[in-house]
């Protein structure tokens, strides 16, 4: 919607256009210069900053990386991520799904006496993933099904609060702040802080001094009001859970643990709805929702490079069996543009498939 678009454009004026080859290119004005950037270049800047942080901490060069992506990323997004690694000067050992990485973090140090079906509910700032894994006593992590929404997360909740505040400002002062990107950005930051406060408190104050033309803005938002504003977003977050259970051919009672990952899972209403969906089952909050994915990726890196050796080798028994989140195929049917699936979603990888095709006309 226009409100969220305006708030996202507030920091730097930029436009997105097609480069003529079907790829998006970002035109941004920075320090008086106009620059053209592909999304891979922006992603590479983030990776470069992380590489430099790691090198400063370790005191030596970092060459290899395990990179995590949302489970519902398509093949093009994954290839773009690998390209970003190359630009950042990193050798990408593996691209793994975020919920799978979180499951590795959960599994380490938690040796169980029976096989478990674990549902990882991963809702972050911009993406949402749900994965169901079977974790066996001998260390096999087998992903049974995955689902999600690459356009759902905490940002949607911030924007919903922002929309409410814009209407309140209009009602109180008869002014429209959507024409001022700077005012929207300041208000959005205050909305995000209020959202975080509402995870622990029953109400939060959204205050911005001199928001527009010297007018101060202040509004109190209760947790109940926030939940009613975002009810449909919370419901969208639960929709992939039923699809994943259906794909895995399991019932609600077959799930042994529900692991929460991602900052947005701190919201009490999301926790309540998820627990009620599973008949009041207690949720597992043993992993740090912000760090679990990176922690799991580092464990995967230790496995791939065989760097965890010696008497405390905790990774030697971990075997990961992942799946593809989306079906893969080719366009057939001429101008009708029908996709013929060659490999179905939730197929274990690596996997090879063969299929013969012929032209429609001689």
């Amino acid at each position: 919607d226009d409100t969220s678009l305006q708030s996202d454009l507030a920091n730097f004026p930029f436009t997105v256009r097609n480069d003529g080859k079907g790829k998006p290119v970002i035109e941004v004005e920075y320090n008086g210069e106009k620059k053209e950037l592909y999304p891979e270049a922006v992603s590479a800047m983030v990776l470069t900053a992380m590489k430099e942080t790691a090198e400063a901490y370790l005191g030596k060069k970092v060459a290899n990386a395990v990179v995590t992506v949302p489970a519902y990323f398509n093949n093009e997004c994954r290839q773009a991520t690998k390209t970003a690694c190359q630009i950042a000067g990193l050798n990408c050992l593996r691209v793994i799904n975020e919920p799978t990485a979180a499951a590795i973090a959960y599994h380490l140090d938690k040796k169980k006496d029976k096989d478990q079906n674990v549902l990882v509910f991963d809702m972050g700032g911009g993406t949402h993933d749900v994965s169901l894994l079977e974790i066996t006593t001998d260390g096999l992590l087998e992903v049974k099904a995955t689902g999600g929404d690459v356009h759902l997360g905490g940002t949607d909740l911030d924007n919903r609060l922002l929309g409410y505040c814009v209407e309140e400002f209009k009602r109180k002062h008869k002014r429209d702040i959507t024409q001022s990107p700077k005012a929207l950005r300041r208000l959005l930051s205050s909305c995000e802080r209020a959202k975080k406060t509402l995870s622990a408190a029953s109400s939060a104050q959204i205050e911005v001094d001199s928001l527009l033309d010297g007018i101060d803005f202040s509004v109190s938002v209760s947790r109940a009001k926030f939940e009613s504003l975002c009810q449909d977003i919370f419901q969208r977050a639960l929709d992939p859970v039923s699809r994943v259970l259906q794909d895995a051919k399991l019932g609600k009672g077959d799930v042994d643990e529900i692991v929460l990952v991602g900052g947005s899972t701190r919201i009490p209403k999301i926790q309540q709805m998820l627990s009620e969906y599973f008949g009041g089952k207690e949720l597992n909050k043993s992993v740090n929702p912000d760090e679990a994915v990176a922690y799991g990726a580092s464990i995967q890196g230790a496995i791939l490079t065989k760097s965890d050796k010696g008497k405390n080798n905790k990774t030697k028994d971990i075997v990961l069996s992942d799946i593809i989140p989306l079906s893969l195929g080719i366009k057939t049917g001429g101008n009708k543009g029908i996709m013929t699936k060659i490999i179905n979603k939730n197929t274990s990888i690596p996997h090879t498939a063969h299929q013969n095709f012929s032209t429609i006309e001689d």
Side-chain angles (χ1 to χ4, degrees), residues 197-272:
T197 302
L198 288 169
S199 289
S202 58
S203 66
Q205 197 75 14
I206 298 173
E207 291 179 312
V208 184
D209 293 337
S210 190
L211 179 60
L212 187 69
D213 297 335
I215 303 170
D216 296 338
F217 177 72
S218 177
V219 65
S220 180
V221 180
S222 67
R223 185 185 288 180
K225 180 64 180 177
F226 171 67
E227 289 172 356
S228 68
L229 284 170
C230 303
Q231 182 63 33
D232 61 316
I233 299 173
F234 297 151
Q235 189 54 55
R236 273 177 64 197
L238 282 187
D239 290 343
V241 177
S242 53
R243 290 200 298 271
V244 163
L245 288 172
Q246 192 177 348
D247 289 344
K249 297 178 175 60
L250 292 173
K252 295 177 186 178
D254 298 321
V255 177
D256 300 298
E257 289 283 2
I258 302 152
V259 179
L260 298 180
V261 181
S264 296
T265 58
R266 289 190 174 94
I267 296 168
K269 187 65 175 177
I270 290 178
Q271 294 182 7
Q272 179 198 330

Side-chain angles (χ1 to χ4, degrees), residues 10 14 47 85 93 126 180 184 193 196 213 233 236 241 250 252 256 264 281 287 309 314 325 333 342 351:
F14 70 87
L47 289 167
C85 279
L93 297 175
S180 171
L184 275 176
R193 285 194 297 273
K196 291 176 180 176
D213 297 335
I233 299 173
R236 273 177 64 197
V241 177
L250 292 173
K252 295 177 186 178
D256 300 298
S264 296
K281 188 175 179 65
V287 297
K309 295 173 183 175
K314 295 179 180 179
I342 298 174
H351 181 83

Side-chain angles (χ1 to χ4, degrees), residues 98 101-103 105-106 110 120-122 259-263 265-266 284-296:
E98 286 167 7
Y106 161 79
K110 291 179 179 63
V120 179
F121 188 90
D122 178 2
V259 179
L260 298 180
V261 181
T265 58
R266 289 190 174 94
N284 188 305
K285 303 172 191 174
S286 62
V287 297
N288 184 316
D290 299 319
E291 297 175 5
V293 171
Y295 184 40

Side-chain angles (χ1 to χ4, degrees), residues 7-291:
S7 63
D8 285 342
L9 297 180
N11 271 359
F12 295 106
F14 70 87
T15 54
V16 181
R17 62 171 176 81
N18 193 306
D19 69 349
K21 299 175 184 175
K23 292 198 66 145
V25 63
I26 304 158
E27 289 182 344
V28 62
E29 193 172 313
Y30 181 68
N31 286 344
E33 280 185 62
K34 283 193 175 180
K35 293 180 181 290
E36 289 188 352
L37 300 167
Y38 281 94
E40 291 91 333
V42 180
S43 185
M45 290 174 192
V46 178
L47 289 167
T48 302
M50 294 173 73
K51 179 176 181 281
E52 288 169 355
T53 303
E55 288 176 341
Y57 179 81
L58 295 169
K60 57 184 177 183
K61 290 289 180 185
V62 172
N64 300 321
V66 173
V67 184
T68 62
V69 294
Y72 232 48
F73 252 24
N74 63 27
N75 199 50
E76 193 172 7
C77 295
R78 290 166 193 271
Q79 292 302 324
T81 302
K82 290 178 182 177
T83 303
C85 279
Q86 289 178 331
I87 297 168
L90 286 166
N91 173 31
C92 183
L93 297 175
R94 187 80 50 93
V95 173
I96 63 171
N97 295 330
E98 286 167 7
T100 308
I104 296 172
Y106 161 79
H107 170 68
L108 204 75
D109 299 329
K110 291 179 179 63
K111 301 296 182 186
K112 301 290 182 181
D113 53 4
K114 68 182 183 73
D115 296 352
Q116 280 190 322
N117 289 319
V118 176
L119 183 113
V120 179
F121 188 90
D122 178 2
M123 188 172 178
T127 59
H128 177 45
D129 296 309
V130 178
S131 288
L132 189 65
L133 303 93
E134 183 184 7
I135 302 178
T136 64
T137 53
D138 54 2
L140 173 65
L141 284 81
E142 185 179 1
V143 183
K144 294 291 186 185
T146 195
D149 189 334
V150 289
H151 300 293
L152 181 68
T155 309
D156 296 283
L157 305 173
D158 301 339
N159 285 326
R160 191 59 61 85
L161 265 181
L162 178 67
Y164 170 72
C165 291
V166 166
E167 290 304 314
E168 281 293 296
F169 191 85
K170 194 180 290 184
R171 185 179 63 81
K172 286 180 181 177
H173 305 288
K174 306 292 186 289
R175 301 287 297 275
D176 183 8
I177 65 166
T178 58
Q179 303 307 310
S180 171
K182 187 177 178 182
L184 275 176
R185 169 53 64 188
R186 292 176 65 213
L187 185 54
L188 182 66
S189 298
S190 188
C191 288
E192 186 183 0
R193 285 194 297 273
K195 176 192 71 175
K196 291 176 180 176
T197 302
L198 288 169
S199 289
S202 58
S203 66
Q205 197 75 14
I206 298 173
E207 291 179 312
V208 184
D209 293 337
S210 190
L211 179 60
L212 187 69
D213 297 335
I215 303 170
D216 296 338
F217 177 72
S218 177
V219 65
S220 180
V221 180
S222 67
R223 185 185 288 180
K225 180 64 180 177
F226 171 67
E227 289 172 356
S228 68
L229 284 170
C230 303
Q231 182 63 33
D232 61 316
I233 299 173
F234 297 151
Q235 189 54 55
R236 273 177 64 197
L238 282 187
D239 290 343
V241 177
S242 53
R243 290 200 298 271
V244 163
L245 288 172
Q246 192 177 348
D247 289 344
K249 297 178 175 60
L250 292 173
K252 295 177 186 178
D254 298 321
V255 177
D256 300 298
E257 289 283 2
I258 302 152
V259 179
L260 298 180
V261 181
S264 296
T265 58
R266 289 190 174 94
I267 296 168
K269 187 65 175 177
I270 290 178
Q271 294 182 7
Q272 179 198 330
M273 290 174 70
L274 186 59
S275 178
E276 286 174 356
Y277 181 86
F278 285 96
K281 188 175 179 65
E282 191 175 341
L283 307 177
N284 188 305
K285 303 172 191 174
S286 62
V287 297
N288 184 316
D290 299 319
E291 297 175 5

